Every structure is written in structure tokens, then in C-alpha cells.
Amino acid sequence: QLLALQCCDLRFPEAEYKTMWNKKRRRDVVQGSPRDDRTIHASLDRAWWTPFLEAYSSDASSGTIDYHLRSDLGVADRQGTRYSHDAVVEQAESTSLTRDDYRPDLLPPAVQLSPGRNKYILAKLQDPETHKARWFVKSASPSECGGPYHANIAEDLKEWIHNVPGYEQVDIKIMGGGRIDYITESSVGDMIRVYGFSYRFGKGDHERAAALIRESLGDENVSVTYDLSDDLY
């Protein structure tokens, strides 16, 4: 015997995310709590087991339940059309929840820079909603990210992204790293230099990182350069 429970409607409170100071980590963290005024609603019209339930309902109403619901025998729908097990599996793979709870507006900025000379990482993910690539450049001091390593910066970025609704399970790839000198007290304007490498993640694509920084800042008074030399750390 096979038993299937089809849950076709889900409702639960939407989370409200706030940035709060964490005494233990000595930095701001994103925390979520349920909202009273908004809910998430997801509905399921069909699933891989739906044909089995329809076939059983049809036969039960006619009083002619004369087959076993076994995957190797396939299943019939209300019109008597026979489906193989492979067809049922194919339908299952194409069935998904209708979701409206993606919040890309809560993602971290594409570029986060801390003044001074700091390590940085270049990260990439595939947006689960648009299926397009998103790139992130983040530099931080040890006091800001909880440690002196590139891995600390990476974990800080991942924690933020994985706390955003719809991005909890997204795969974040660290595409390398290095250092960024961000000089804000210059007579000719701000100066940003991207260079170096990471022992943990390798050398980042400094040219791409510099382009992302220019695009993000969009300020003519900011000079952004990069150095691809391998002997810089």
C-alpha cells in the first residue's frame, strides 16, 4: 500500500529583517522575526502523485479498483490514459511551488568597501528568480568581519545573503580575492587600488572587481585602478 498526503496550500507569516548589534560577534547582523500584517502564500496545483490520486478517485467512484498503485505499472488518469513511471517522474521534475517570497531588495550591495587597506573577496551566485549571475565585491577590516582572513569576509557575506528570503539555499561561489586600498583623504579625490591574492581562494579577477566598483560608485572624483602582478600580497 502507498500513502500520499497532498498539501496544496501553505500560509505563514513573512519575516521582517532588521540589522541589530551582536555583542558576541561585535558587529551588526541581520535577524528576522515574524510579521503580523503580511503572510507568505504558496499553492501546489499538481505533484508527481496527483495522477495516482486522480486514478484512485476515478476508480473508487466507479467501484472498479482493480489495479495496484505500483510505480512499475504506471498509472491511469480520469480519461483512462495510461502513464508510465518515467512520465510520472518527468512530471514531478517539472512541478514546483509558485513562490512570491523572493526579496532581492534585501541583498547586500554589489560593492561594499571599507576605507583603508583591507582584504577583499569576489563572489558570484546565480539568482534563483532571474537565473542571472550576481557579482559581489566586499572588503572589510578584521573588526568588521570577525577575523583577519579572506574566509571571514566570505562568511560575513554568505551569512547576509542566506538570511534573505528566497536565497537561503543559493550556492555562493568565491571567485578569488586580494586586497583593496581605499584612500578617501586625497587632494585629488578618492583612490581605489585592487591587487594581490588570497591564499584560501586564489587571485580574484581584479579587472572585473575594478569594473564593478566603478559601476557602483559612478563618481568622476574616484580613481579605480588594478594591478595583476603575482608578487603582490
Side-chain angles (χ1 to χ4, degrees):
Q1 293 184 348
L2 296 178
L3 175 64
L5 173 64
Q6 180 168 334
C7 183
C8 60
D9 193 85
L10 291 175
R11 294 176 186 269
F12 50 90
E14 180 180 352
E16 181 177 12
Y17 291 87
K18 296 181 180 179
T19 301
M20 303 181 65
W21 177 256
N22 188 294
K23 293 183 179 179
K24 183 177 180 181
R25 298 185 180 182
R26 300 181 60 81
R27 60 185 175 88
D28 289 335
V29 298
V30 179
Q31 294 184 348
S33 59
R35 295 182 55 166
D36 297 329
D37 57 334
R38 297 185 62 177
T39 60
I40 301 297
H41 179 207
S43 61
L44 177 65
D45 295 327
R46 297 182 65 84
W48 66 266
W49 57 79
T50 303
F52 288 89
L53 299 180
E54 292 176 341
Y56 180 85
S57 177
S58 177
D59 289 350
S61 61
S62 64
T64 58
I65 302 177
D66 56 358
Y67 64 88
H68 298 287
L69 292 177
R70 286 167 37 199
S71 60
D72 58 334
L73 296 180
V75 67
D77 63 9
R78 292 180 184 272
Q79 288 72 39
T81 304
R82 204 74 182 170
Y83 294 98
S84 66
H85 177 253
D86 291 341
V88 174
V89 171
E90 183 179 354
Q91 177 184 341
E93 293 176 345
S94 64
T95 302
S96 61
L97 287 174
T98 301
R99 300 189 55 170
D100 59 359
D101 58 340
Y102 288 97
R103 294 294 305 274
D105 56 304
L106 296 179
L107 287 172
V111 174
Q112 300 179 79
L113 302 180
S114 292
R117 176 173 295 179
N118 298 295
K119 294 180 178 178
Y120 95 94
I121 56 105
L122 180 67
K124 174 185 176 183
L125 63 83
Q126 184 181 33
D127 193 289
E129 186 177 23
T130 65
H131 303 292
K132 295 181 179 179
R134 285 183 179 270
W135 289 86
F136 298 89
V137 176
K138 180 177 176 64
S139 73
S141 65
S143 62
E144 293 173 320
C145 63
Y149 305 108
H150 286 94
N152 298 119
I153 304 175
E155 288 304 315
D156 192 54
L157 178 66
K158 289 180 178 180
E159 181 182 15
W160 184 335
I161 295 174
H162 285 155
N163 275 281
V164 175
Y167 295 81
E168 296 88 346
Q169 304 298 325
V170 71
D171 182 27
I172 305 169
K173 300 182 184 297
I174 306 301
M175 309 301 292
R179 293 180 184 268
I180 291 181
D181 291 350
Y182 185 11
I183 302 174
T184 59
E185 299 178 359
S186 172
S187 59
V188 296
D190 293 353
M191 300 178 63
I192 298 174
R193 179 173 176 243
V194 187
Y195 64 98
F197 63 92
S198 164
Y199 283 108
R200 173 74 177 272
F201 303 113
K203 183 168 73 173
D205 185 345
H206 301 331
E207 183 177 3
R208 179 184 291 274
L212 290 169
I213 294 171
R214 292 193 194 99
E215 180 181 356
S216 174
L217 297 180
D219 192 338
E220 297 181 356
N221 293 324
V222 177
S223 172
V224 183
T225 61
Y226 61 91
D227 191 328
L228 302 179
S229 301
D230 293 328
D231 56 346
L232 295 175
Y233 179 73

